[in-house]
Every structure is written in C-alpha cells, then in structure tokens.
Amino acid sequence: MNQKIKYIILCLIILISLCGCFNKKTEVSKPEIKQSNERNTQVLQLEILVSTINILENKNINSSVIGTVYKGEIYTILDQNKLDNYLWFEIETNTDIHGFIFTKAENIKILEIEEPEPEPEPEPEPEPKPQKIIDANKEYYCPEGFIKNTSLNKCTRTIERADLVQGICPENFTLTGQVCKIGEDKKSVKANGPFGGCTEGGELKKDVNNKPYCTHGSYYENYTCNAGYKEIVDKFNVHWCVWENSSETINAEFTCSDSSYTYVSSKKTCQKEETRNFSIKYTCPSGYDLKDNKCYEQ
C-alpha cells in the first residue's frame, strides 16, 4: 500500500513539474529586440497574459525549447489545436523564431478579427450643368481680288484683256487704228510752173529785168499737176495740186478673239466676269468652343 501511495505522489510531482515548464511565473526580463508581432485586426491573433511561455520547436511537450514569449506580446495564430484543457498555437516571432506554445486558455487572450469600418460613401457629384449649345456665326468671305456680289450670291471679279481686242472691216478695207479705210490720202503740193507762152504765135522773150514778154500777141502762164492731182488756186493766188481720189473711212466693228470675253467699247477692251462660291467661316462668341459648326459653352 505504501508503494502505491509513493507511486501516486511521484506521478503528481512529475505532472506538477511538467506544468511548471510552460506556465511557471518566474521573473524573466524581456529581450531587447522586439519579437512581438504588430497588432493586425484583419487576422486572428493572441495576447500573452502570463509572465512567460516557452516556445517549443515541435508540437510535442517533450520538444526542445527554442524561445520564450512574454506578457503583453501579441502573435498571429498560424495554426491551433486543443488537447484536453490545453491549447496548441503555432506562431512566428519578428525575430524569425517559428514554433509552438502549449498553454491553458486563461493564459492567453484571443484577439478576434475586427470588421473594417466601412469607408464613407463618397458624396454624390453634383449633376453637370446642361451644356448650352448655339448655332455658330456664319461669315461669308471671298478670295483675294474678288468682291461679294449679293445679287448673284457669288464672289465676282472683272478680268480685262486689251490684247484680245480685234477689229473687223468690210472687204477691201484696211483696219487703221479704230477705223476701216479704203484708198489713200496724199498731201497737196504746189503746182508745177509757171510755164509762160504767147498767143497768136508771138515769140517769148525777157527784158533787162528778166521779165517775160511777147514780140506780138499776149503773154500767159500755165501750171501743171501730176496724174491724179487737180490744180486749184488759193486766195493768195498760189497754184496747188490736190489729190483727186481721197480715201474713204468707216468705223470698224470690234470683237474679242476669245468668245468668253465681251468687247466693251467705252473702255476699248475685252472683259469677262469670273465667279466663285462664297467661302464660309464659322465662329463662336467668347466662352464657347466650335465643334461641327455649333458653339458649345465651355
């Protein structure tokens, strides 16, 4: 009987010793290097409530001790199991010690995952102000050298070509300047002479003053003109030869060698009107942008 009691007492001592290995509250200073994990509300963690708990290399109570956790430290739970009234937790310190702690539930505090606070709903954006759209201003303009012709709704310009003017004369007439001419004009000349003579067969002589006289009969003088001329005497008693066949002139008809031109007699030139369509430029007032011939408010 005594042997049995001794055996029971020995087992109790061993069991008490084993419990003291993990939960013995001895004064142990914390390491200077922080090994606790940071609090993370998005993962499951635990907080140490007792002075120390040993970190075992494996999930076995007989495993080697590879470190120690201290009161107030927090660790992320990588894995957990329950064995009778004890709990196994797999952890890793910030100093890269990866192992297991074996303890009772009252020695630790489970830090539950906290739902993140919902982000505040963004304030609704103000409804965009309706964009004002107006018709763009139309500006009609003409190329350089052209003018606006509102009656034709076109751009016009007048082209003048004096080199295209051509005169037309009847047959046998010759164009001379602005007229048609037939025949020719010759200047009047003084008549040939005088040639003196005597009537009644008298002999023509000259006196000491070289004046002609007749031995008998009367003295006379003759003037002659070349063919085509006739003799006239002016008021000074001068004999002239005047051309008998004076020329004839008539007004010429004028036209343009290019049928697309029209002869303008007042300017004696050929003209034609050249037309082009208006060019259109669209513009917007200040504060508007032009797009597709419309003005959009900025």
Side-chain angles (χ1 to χ4, degrees), residues 134-137 283-290 294-298:
I134 60 175
D135 291 330
N137 299 321
T283 60
C284 291
S286 177
Y288 285 81
D289 294 322
L290 179 66
K294 296 284 186 180
C295 296
Y296 293 79
E297 189 177 19
Q298 293 175 352

Side-chain angles (χ1 to χ4, degrees), residues 8-24 86:
I8 292 171
I9 292 172
L10 180 62
C11 288
L12 289 173
I13 292 172
I14 293 173
L15 182 60
I16 292 170
S17 299
L18 287 174
C19 292
C21 290
F22 304 109
N23 298 324
K24 186 177 182 181
Y86 290 88

